[in-house]
Amino acid sequence: MTFNRFSLRPFAILAAFFFALLSISGTAMAAPGTSVVISQVYGGGGNSGATYTNDYIEIFNPTQSAVSLAGWSVQYASSTGSSWQTTLLPSISLQPGEYALIQESAGSAGTTPLPTPDATGTIAMSATAGKIALVSSTSALTGSCPTSDPGLQDFVGFGTAANCSLGSPTVTLSNTTAAIRTNVCANTNNNNTDFKALAPAPRNTATALAACAPSTTSAPPSVSGLATPASAFTGDPILLTATVIPGTLPASTGIQVSGNLTTIGGSSTQSFYDDGTHGDVTAGDNIFSFVVTTSTTGSFAMPVTVTDSQLRSASGSIALTVTTPPPFVTIGTIQANKPSTYATQKVMTSGIVIGVKSNGFYLEAKNADTNPTTPEGILVYTSSTVLPSFVQVGAEVQVTGTVNTFPAAGLIRGTEIDGPQTFTLLSTGNPLPAPVEITAAMDSPSGPITQFSRFEGMRVAIGSVTTTSGTDASLNESAETNTSNGQFYGVVTGVPRPFREPGIGVTDTVFGPVPAGVPIWDANPELLNFDSLAFGAPAIDLTSNATLTGVAGVMDMSFGSPQILIDKATRPTVTGLMAPVPVPVQAPNEFTVASFNMERFYNDVVDADNPGSSVVKVTTAAYQRRLAKGSLAIRNILNFPDILGVQEIENINVLTDLANKISSDATAAGQADPAYLPYLFLASDGTGINTGMLVKSTRVTTVKADQLGLNTTFTNSVGNQAVLNDRTPLVLHVGIKRGGGQPDYPVTVISVHQRSLINVDDSTSTGATVRLKREAQAEYLAKLIQGYQGAGEHVVTVGDYNAFEFSDGFVDALGVVTGNPVSSTQVVTPPVAGLVNPPLVDLVTLLPAAERQSYVETGSAQVLDHVVVTSDLVPTETRLVYAHIDSDFPLVNLNDATSPTRISDHDPAVAYFAVPPAPIVEGTVQLITTSVLSKVSGGYQAVVTVKNAGTGTAQAVQLTGATLGGAGGSVIPQTIGNLAPGGSAAVVVTFPATAGVSGAAAVEGLSGTYTGGTFGANLRVRLP
């Protein structure tokens, strides 16, 4: 053992090491009134009913002296947890009677920000129960009840579920109550006694001082010890500190500290120093220090003693564990195999720091190969551990830790060094290893999914990148604002844009073995993710199809896919950003039908929603911004489609507000008022989103609106009946106005929103139910459309199908709907074919491949939003256009009320159709409808007669609607056929008993269509 010299490291290296230790030294929990205490704990911030938007922790100095918070932290664990999250405290001296406020995670509710915090963290605390520690170090605590940790200053177990506390835990808290110390000057070390559940009242350093009265009793000095690091290797320098609280009445003078270090080979009376030498950081601060190295291994509790000139003394101890250092292994050797053969083993390695982020840093071998076959770099994952200050780009650092593989499963797995770790500075100011130049030839669309794994943890550079997505962000939904996370996708310029292809993704390993005939999609191995924010530079917010030149950074694999963390010092140049482009204006002889998933469009009031659903009440400012963006998109980008099927709308009030906003904005802008009529029925989706339609009443006549499938069920994977259509299809029978006295052109429009792909790959009964539901929804929709097609109607179906124009390998949803699914050997869920005849046409399949995009998922362009039509409409279809205003734009554009972009994650689709000329009819058609009602078992029966009182033949007559007292009739629709002048025909319609009681007055509503026109009657009847 050696003392007062550094036998194994250069002095300058050790000096840097001990300077870094300034932030991680501390004391054991002090006696009442002798240390800083936790004065408030609140975990309900931003929750429903909360006033404040953030969780917080408040601390207070009840002592008679200023206390430095440098190197201190507050830490949180769940009520029964053993994993501790840390928030570093500011390097300030907390004055006697002074409070400090630590702000933690925000929620989506709450109305009032906290007072200006003195420190900010991101811990999401429980509103009801948990554990908070005030610690005089930044190292995360261990164990579920670390009350004996020498660095602990105070501890609060809040909520009766907390499994650790001082004394008993506080009562259980709520979104509207905080644990508040009722007397900050008296700490009994019993949380239940010291704290009460009261309304939150946060205080910060700007709050007036409230100094506690000085003690009136004599007290001896006290001492507590700490080893930094607490776990060290033989030969490493170890800083031993003893923190003294001077005695009172009289105040201690002549304080001396000694330690018994014989267990590690030292003196039994070793002096400690508070004079700025022997590792002591600040002279005269009552923290006494001494530096040791030892070759003795084991776990030790070394006694320390404090004495003063008043002949008083006290004892404490320093806990230390010393082990033999692990073997040194080069980065290249660690990374030679995937997964690494060193996984779970402790190693020592070294390299040049090439990038530092919030939860770790990257080391690359000093002599790294620029054309490696295996990686020459590695991630050192430190989680919430505070790094020594010498861990900077260009430093050569030696690290010890445990090799781990993350993620644990999947085709692309990163290798990292996990904690607990030790860090040693070897040299500074080193040139960074030359980056590997990634070329278009290396970014191969036909390469293996692991083609970039050989560059893991290394510096890379790309001369030019073309982006394939907008920049991602995180959403505060109640405020409807996005905060950029700086991440986007791209390929090397010259590589074609990647699109989703048929089959199950090769990276989708959750499902398990895929049946032999099911195609496998390569998951677009050419895609690269870029993170512009990770190393601390501002986020780069951009669109798809932009060009970045001069990209350099570090290749990371820790999220299961290749990601380049862009250098902080060298930023790329961005050009070629996209701008929103309006769709073509329709010709006078055309009509348009559009689809627009408007993504969780909620309002700012509590009103009628789907039964049992959970919706988000947004702020008024957020709602008005969404309405403004929706109006801009529909007016200026979609050019006022005649019929707009919408998805993910909360209720009819939201759709009505949107229609009114469009009208008022159109009038203000000098545009023609479309006078949109809104249609929407509540359904059963648990998040309160529904399908609806806006109909331009200046161009379209609505004959009838129907909600179908509300009570339809299917058999799930465990044999139970379950709701099929959470978001029900909305069917409108409309007439396109020809003008000039000509009859309307009849069209049937259906707006749909099918079950999402979430969990479609799950291997349990959950995934099986998802697949069965998606297949059953497709079959239901196909049969629904076939009913209208069989009656001779022109059908346009629009919406978010949550399916591709081809099979995804699990379910061929569009194939089933259109009538031409793949064979049962090519898909996991056997499809039902031939449900429509003739087959329907998905209009996107008529577009060139490069134009098939309404959505972007992890950088791959794809179509989820479709326009599916009966084949008779195909000759009249003039074009299908996707308005790229959402999927290619950065998510932060949601925040801009003046831009139509990024109101949603889906691009709207607009289909154009030529209006056929009205049929030439010899003479006139005048259809008269009468009905004879009779009472039958279970309800009523109507014999409906349609007579042609005109001079011309009525062709293709159908009864398309029948109601009695608000109850719908069946079977509808019914085909009547052609009626010659004077001819008539009768059909039978039955109504349920819910139409009314016998003898009651009611209205019988009848409606129908014929070639070139519509007819109807509302008959006042008395129920038989």
Side-chain angles (χ1 to χ4, degrees):
M1 177 175 179
T2 57
F3 294 87
N4 306 322
R5 64 188 181 89
F6 305 106
S7 59
L8 302 179
R9 307 283 190 275
F11 178 82
I13 294 174
L14 287 177
F17 172 78
F18 289 119
F19 179 77
L21 294 183
L22 170 63
S23 65
I24 49 177
S25 63
T27 63
M29 189 159 59
T34 60
S35 179
V36 177
V37 296
I38 299 166
S39 51
Q40 285 195 48
V41 174
Y42 178 55
N47 292 355
S48 176
T51 298
Y52 289 104
T53 57
N54 289 72
D55 301 340
Y56 68 83
I57 301 161
E58 179 191 281
I59 61 176
F60 176 76
N61 181 4
T63 75
Q64 300 302 300
S65 304
V67 177
S68 172
L69 301 182
W72 286 34
S73 64
V74 290
Q75 304 193 22
Y76 168 83
S78 64
S79 59
T80 60
S82 57
S83 177
W84 292 86
Q85 301 176 65
T86 64
T87 297
L88 186 66
L89 297 187
S91 296
I92 61 173
S93 288
L94 199 65
Q95 300 302 310
E98 189 173 27
Y99 295 92
L101 182 63
I102 301 93
Q103 175 177 285
E104 298 294 353
S105 175
S108 60
T111 57
T112 305
L114 294 175
T116 303
D118 301 298
T120 300
T122 58
I123 300 172
M125 297 160 51
S126 168
T128 56
K131 296 171 292 196
I132 297 292
L134 175 63
V135 187
S136 59
S137 84
T138 57
S139 298
L141 297 170
T142 58
S144 63
C145 194
T147 52
S148 61
D149 187 281
L152 199 68
Q153 299 299 305
D154 198 10
F155 191 95
V156 177
F158 65 96
T160 56
N163 67 355
C164 184
S165 58
L166 300 184
S168 300
T170 76
V171 298
T172 299
L173 305 181
S174 69
N175 293 347
T176 58
T177 57
I180 297 182
R181 188 181 291 274
T182 54
N183 184 348
V184 292
C185 295
N187 180 7
T188 70
N189 279 339
N190 186 321
N191 297 156
N192 187 266
T193 302
D194 291 338
F195 288 86
K196 300 297 181 187
L198 301 170
R203 295 160 289 196
N204 59 10
T205 52
T207 303
L209 297 180
C212 298
S215 173
T216 60
T217 60
S218 176
S222 62
V223 63
S224 58
L226 182 70
T228 305
S231 295
F233 296 120
T234 55
D236 281 350
I238 305 164
L239 176 64
L240 305 180
T241 56
T243 299
V244 174
I245 297 175
T248 57
L249 296 180
S252 291
T253 59
I255 296 172
Q256 296 185 22
V257 174
S258 64
N260 183 347
L261 309 184
T262 55
T263 54
I264 60 171
S267 168
S268 61
T269 57
Q270 177 61 56
S271 295
F272 282 47
Y273 300 86
D274 187 19
D275 59 0
T277 67
H278 299 83
D280 184 59
V281 176
T282 304
D285 64 353
N286 288 324
I287 299 176
F288 291 72
S289 306
F290 188 67
V291 177
V292 298
T293 60
T294 182
S295 59
T296 306
T297 61
S299 294
F300 312 101
M302 297 173 288
V304 289
T305 301
V306 58
T307 61
D308 63 14
S309 297
Q310 288 70 39
L311 305 180
R312 296 173 296 187
S313 65
S315 298
S317 66
I318 300 175
L320 173 66
T321 298
V322 181
T323 58
T324 301
F328 186 89
V329 184
T330 66
I331 294 173
T333 303
I334 295 171
Q335 291 277 36
N337 297 286
K338 290 290 182 179
S340 175
T341 54
Y342 288 87
T344 73
Q345 297 182 35
K346 269 198 167 183
V347 300
M348 178 185 293
T349 194
S350 65
I352 306 298
V353 177
I354 58 172
V356 182
K357 59 180 184 176
S358 63
N359 59 358
F361 61 95
Y362 296 84
L363 285 179
E364 185 170 352
K366 198 170 186 178
N367 57 348
D369 189 346
T370 57
N371 186 27
T373 56
T374 57
E376 302 267 358
I378 198 165
L379 167 65
V380 181
Y381 179 69
T382 57
S383 187
S384 58
T385 300
V386 177
L387 292 174
S389 59
F390 59 72
V391 177
Q392 301 285 340
V393 172
E396 184 183 8
V397 174
Q398 181 173 280
V399 176
T400 62
T402 301
V403 177
N404 236 324
T405 299
F406 189 86
L411 298 180
I412 302 177
R413 292 187 274 176
T415 302
E416 60 191 39
I417 298 177
D418 291 348
Q421 298 125 332
T422 65
F423 313 100
T424 304
L425 180 66
L426 301 181
S427 62
T428 60
N430 296 282
L432 300 186
V436 176
E437 294 285 342
I438 297 178
T439 65
M442 297 161 69
D443 190 15
S444 173
S446 58
I449 197 67
T450 56
Q451 63 184 351
F452 294 114
S453 292
R454 61 194 179 108
F455 307 133
E456 180 191 351
M458 301 179 66
R459 295 193 71 237
V460 295
I462 305 176
S464 179
V465 169
T466 300
T467 58
T468 65
S469 77
T471 306
D472 198 7
S474 58
L475 174 66
N476 179 337
E477 191 164 20
S478 65
E480 291 285 5
T481 55
N482 273 317
T483 302
S484 176
N485 65 13
Q487 296 182 15
F488 51 87
Y489 285 86
V491 294
V492 177
T493 299
V495 174
R497 182 169 191 171
F499 282 76
R500 182 55 159 93
E501 298 163 15
I504 296 175
V506 67
T507 54
D508 196 342
T509 59
V510 175
F511 179 74
V514 175
V518 177
I520 299 297
W521 169 52
D522 66 5
N524 292 333
E526 66 271 33
L527 276 170
L528 290 161
N529 182 261
F530 296 84
D531 190 334
S532 60
L533 197 61
F535 287 152
I540 299 174
D541 291 317
L542 43 65
T543 67
S544 298
N545 299 312
T547 301
L548 288 82
T549 54
V551 178
V554 178
M555 181 71 77
D556 180 77
M557 296 289 174
S558 59
F559 287 96
S561 60
Q563 182 182 54
I564 295 176
L565 281 54
I566 298 177
D567 281 349
K568 180 178 181 179
T570 306
R571 306 300 279 175
T573 301
V574 181
T575 57
L577 297 177
M578 294 176 64
V581 177
V583 302
V585 177
Q586 67 193 73
N589 69 327
E590 290 180 319
F591 72 95
T592 53
V593 183
S595 178
F596 198 175
N597 181 322
M598 302 192 78
E599 193 180 10
R600 296 172 64 86
F601 204 146
Y602 298 118
N603 63 17
D604 58 346
V605 296
V606 177
D607 50 6
D609 293 310
N610 294 346
S613 63
S614 176
V615 303
V616 178
K617 178 185 173 185
V618 303
T619 66
T620 298
Y623 185 47
Q624 293 303 316
R625 186 169 63 251
R626 288 292 299 269
L627 290 172
K629 292 177 74 70
S631 171
L632 284 170
I634 293 167
R635 291 184 300 112
N636 297 345
I637 302 299
L638 304 187
N639 277 317
F640 299 100
D642 295 323
I643 303 162
L644 176 59
V646 291
Q647 300 86 43
E648 300 203 19
I649 306 296
E650 179 185 353
N651 53 32
I652 190 64
N653 297 334
V654 172
L655 202 53
T656 301
D657 288 346
L658 180 59
N660 292 338
K661 177 66 172 174
I662 293 168
S663 289
S664 62
D665 287 352
T667 301
Q671 299 167 313
D673 181 1
Y676 278 118
L677 297 178
Y679 296 90
L680 182 146
F681 297 93
L682 295 179
S684 59
D685 180 88
T687 61
I689 55 176
N690 295 287
T691 54
M693 284 200 215
L694 290 175
V695 177
K696 190 194 295 182
S697 61
T698 57
R699 182 75 196 286
V700 180
T701 301
T702 303
V703 176
K704 186 184 180 187
D706 286 320
Q707 178 188 37
L708 297 175
L710 178 62
N711 298 314
T712 305
T713 61
F714 77 107
T715 304
N716 66 19
S717 63
V718 295
N720 297 326
Q721 292 300 296
V723 173
L724 178 62
N725 299 301
D726 311 81
R727 305 176 288 259
T728 50
L730 175 59
V731 181
L732 268 91
H733 301 280
V734 301
I736 308 299
K737 298 177 181 179
R738 287 189 172 100
Q742 298 183 80
D744 292 349
Y745 176 56
V747 179
T748 300
V749 182
I750 307 174
S751 177
V752 301
H753 187 190
Q754 305 292 69
R755 208 282 181 195
S756 76
L757 287 155
I758 295 173
N759 288 330
V760 72
D761 59 347
D762 185 274
S763 60
T764 69
S765 61
T766 297
T769 291
V770 170
R771 295 186 289 275
L772 289 172
K773 184 169 187 173
R774 285 172 58 80
E775 170 67 23
Q777 283 185 337
E779 293 174 15
Y780 176 88
L781 183 58
K783 294 173 184 177
L784 178 65
I785 298 171
Q786 178 60 25
Y788 297 122
Q789 177 174 245
E793 297 184 36
H794 315 298
V795 184
V796 180
T797 306
V798 299
D800 177 5
Y801 275 76
N802 271 314
F804 314 120
E805 66 271 29
F806 41 73
S807 170
D808 59 37
F810 292 109
V811 180
D812 188 7
L814 261 297
V816 171
V817 171
T818 57
N820 288 314
V822 297
S823 73
S824 59
T825 62
Q826 295 177 291
V827 65
V828 171
T829 308
V832 176
L835 294 178
V836 290
N837 186 30
L840 308 178
V841 178
D842 184 0
L843 294 183
V844 74
T845 62
L846 306 181
L847 289 178
E851 296 179 23
R852 300 182 186 181
Q853 176 201 334
S854 74
Y855 197 81
V856 174
E857 177 71 17
T858 57
S860 293
Q862 54 195 248
V863 174
L864 297 179
D865 307 85
H866 300 262
V867 181
V868 177
V869 303
T870 47
S871 58
D872 60 295
L873 283 171
V874 174
T876 70
E877 188 246 345
T878 58
R879 56 195 179 278
L880 172 68
V881 180
Y882 285 97
H884 298 302
I885 58 173
D886 291 321
S887 68
D888 284 321
F889 283 81
L891 272 69
V892 293
N893 283 20
L894 172 66
N895 308 345
D896 185 358
T898 67
S899 169
T901 60
R902 212 53 182 184
I903 188 176
S904 172
D905 49 354
H906 291 251
D907 289 330
V910 183
Y912 297 71
F913 303 89
V915 181
I920 298 174
V921 178
E922 297 292 338
T924 61
V925 173
Q926 182 182 2
L927 298 182
I928 299 173
T929 309
T930 58
S931 176
V932 177
L933 275 175
S934 60
K935 178 74 171 173
V936 296
S937 176
Y940 303 93
Q941 177 177 285
V943 178
V944 180
T945 301
V946 182
K947 180 178 180 180
N948 183 2
T951 61
T953 298
Q955 300 175 350
V957 180
Q958 293 185 80
L959 185 67
T960 59
T963 59
L964 180 63
S970 63
V971 176
I972 293 295
Q974 292 201 42
T975 299
I976 295 173
N978 298 339
L979 290 178
S984 64
V987 294
V988 176
V989 180
T990 59
F991 298 96
T994 55
V997 298
S998 295
V1003 174
E1004 183 179 1
L1006 302 168
S1007 59
T1009 63
Y1010 62 93
T1011 301
T1014 61
F1015 66 93
N1018 288 314
L1019 308 176
R1020 295 182 178 276
V1021 299
R1022 188 164 297 279
L1023 300 179

